[in-house]
Every structure is written in C-alpha cells, then in structure tokens.
C-alpha cells in the first residue's frame, strides 16, 4: 500500500469519522509493507501485511482474501471503463473494486491517477497500485477518491453509500445496472450492464443526515 493513502484511511466502525494511528514496521520507499493500524475512537485494529491492508480479519495471521477471479480485459473494455470513470488524470486515487481490478494494468496507460484495488484477486499486481481488503464498507474519508467502479459482488446499499461518501464532488461511481443509486448521486448514463452517476453534494451533508437518523427512529 502506498504511504500517501494513509491520510485517506478511516476506521470503518459505525462512529464519527476517525483517522487511524499507524505504526509502520516495514517500508520500502513509498510502499508500506508491514504496519499496524489502530482506531483511537473504538480501539479496532487493522493490519498491513505484505503490502496489503486488511480491514476484515481479527487476526493478521489468517487474513481473508475474497476469491475474486481475474478476467481478461480488452483495450476496448478498458477504454470504455476509463470513459465511464471520467478521469484522465488526478492526484486522488481511482478505486477498482472486485472484478474491475482486472482492468488495472491497462487502465494505468489511459488514466494518470493512483490506483486503489479493493478486494482484488491476489494475482493482480500493478506497479504503484495500493491493495486493500475490506468488509461491507470502505474505510475511506470523505472526498478521498476521484472515481470508483464497484462490481456486482460488492454492490450492496451500504457499500455503495460508503463509495458515494468517499468520492469528491463530481466524482463518478460505476456500478451494476440493478444496483440501487445512493442518495446524493445523479445518474448520468446507463445501459443493460452498468450505470454511472456523479456526486452532487459534499459528503459532509450525508454525514449530517446519518447522524440525525437515530432521532427519527425514536
Ligand atoms: Zn473505530
């Protein structure tokens, strides 16, 4: 995982957004190889092991790596994906979730942005890309991503909401056609397989709505 990404990481726990405290045990240039991450709010601990950040397993010895097969992506398919993501170059990362990570290598030749591969197949290695393994939501702060593509295996309402929050204003989310559109996003286009939508408001507004939710229940 690239050191720059540390700033974007947040505890995935259901409390107010919190940075993680990192203790780096092994690094190679800008790449973190082994580190411990801890949440100062809830005490949850996460790990970076062999360069991969894990936000799932309670133990670093047996990390759960989802079995997501790598599919061959043709240049045409990747060009289409690049157009949907709507990013040519960016300082913020572009995130590829699940099967979309298979486009990583070819996409790097079209899109000049750091890549964040989420729950990708272990066989996918793209120079400079960060890999993280997550559960049902993204451990990322607001407005930390330029764009994100979420595959069918991950397109739950909770995951898509966390993806929407992590996008910068105007950032695009690509998701399966049958996935629910998160609140605060405007659909730009769709076909039989996918839709693409952009964020229309600052994510802090969504946090406010979320905090009000328990009161409306009472
Ligand atoms: Zn926490």
């Amino acid at each position: 995982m690239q050191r720059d990404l540390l700033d974007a990481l947040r505890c995935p726990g259901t409390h107010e957004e919190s940075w993680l405290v990192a203790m780096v045990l092994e690094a190679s240039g800008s790449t973190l190889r082994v580190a411990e991450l801890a949440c100062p709010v809830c005490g949850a601990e996460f790990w970076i092991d062999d360069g991969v950040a894990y936000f799932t397993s309670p133990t670093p010895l047996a990390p759960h790596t989802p079995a997501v097969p790598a599919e061959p992506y043709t240049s045409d398919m990747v060009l289409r994906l690049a157009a949907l993501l709507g990013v040519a170059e960016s300082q913020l990362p572009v995130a590829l979730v699940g099967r979309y990570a298979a486009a990583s290598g070819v996409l790097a030749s079209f899109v000049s942005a750091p890549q964040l591969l989420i729950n990708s197949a272990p066989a996918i290695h793209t120079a400079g890309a960060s890999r993280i393994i997550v559960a049902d939501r993204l451990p990322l702060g607001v407005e930390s991503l330029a764009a994100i593509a979420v595959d069918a295996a991950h397109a739950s309402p909770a995951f898509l909401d966390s993806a929407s929050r992590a996008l910068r204003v105007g950032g695009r989310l690509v998701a399966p056609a049958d996935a629910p559109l998160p609140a605060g996003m405007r659909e730009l286009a769709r076909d039989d397989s996918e839709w693409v939508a952009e964020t229309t408001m600052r994510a802090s507004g969504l946090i406010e709505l979320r905090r009000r939710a328990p009161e409306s229940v009472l």
Side-chain angles (χ1 to χ4, degrees):
M1 199 194 83
Q2 293 298 303
R3 189 183 292 270
D4 287 353
L5 189 63
L6 269 184
D7 290 342
L9 294 179
R10 299 290 184 277
C11 179
T14 52
H15 52 69
E16 77 268 25
E17 199 173 290
S18 172
W19 301 70
L20 296 174
V21 179
M23 183 161 75
V24 178
L25 302 173
E26 187 187 332
S28 158
S30 62
T31 303
L32 303 181
R33 306 292 310 167
V34 180
E36 295 175 5
L37 308 171
C39 172
V41 175
C42 72
E45 294 180 333
F46 311 97
W47 291 267
I48 298 174
D49 187 28
D50 198 20
V52 181
Y54 293 90
F55 287 87
T56 48
S57 171
T59 160
L61 298 177
H64 169 67
T65 305
V68 180
E71 295 170 11
Y73 263 75
T74 65
S75 290
D76 281 354
M77 291 164 70
V78 176
L79 263 178
R80 178 179 186 276
L81 178 61
L84 292 177
L85 291 169
V87 178
E89 58 177 89
S90 166
Q91 301 291 318
L92 291 176
V94 169
L96 303 172
V97 184
R99 73 174 182 87
Y100 284 108
S104 169
V106 185
L107 189 71
S109 60
F110 298 121
V111 179
S112 173
Q115 288 188 6
L116 177 55
L117 308 183
I118 298 170
N119 292 4
S120 59
I124 297 169
H125 292 287
T126 303
S130 295
R131 271 191 74 204
I132 66 174
I133 306 296
V134 308
D136 60 351
R137 70 188 66 210
L138 291 176
L140 297 173
V142 296
E143 300 186 44
S144 57
L145 292 178
I148 183 170
V150 179
D151 74 347
H154 295 88
S156 68
F159 195 99
L160 292 172
D161 278 344
S162 72
S164 172
R165 288 190 67 242
L167 281 169
R168 67 183 176 192
V169 175
R172 291 187 183 177
L173 167 60
V174 177
D178 59 356
L181 195 73
M185 299 208 74
R186 183 167 66 92
E187 184 178 311
L188 299 174
R190 73 162 58 227
D191 63 13
D192 290 343
S193 62
E194 294 159 317
W195 51 250
V196 56
E198 67 176 5
T199 50
T200 57
M201 64 172 89
R202 298 184 67 84
S204 55
L206 295 177
I207 293 173
E208 206 172 337
L209 288 175
R210 194 168 290 180
R211 282 179 179 160
R212 279 181 193 149
E215 294 172 17
S216 63
V217 171
L218 291 173

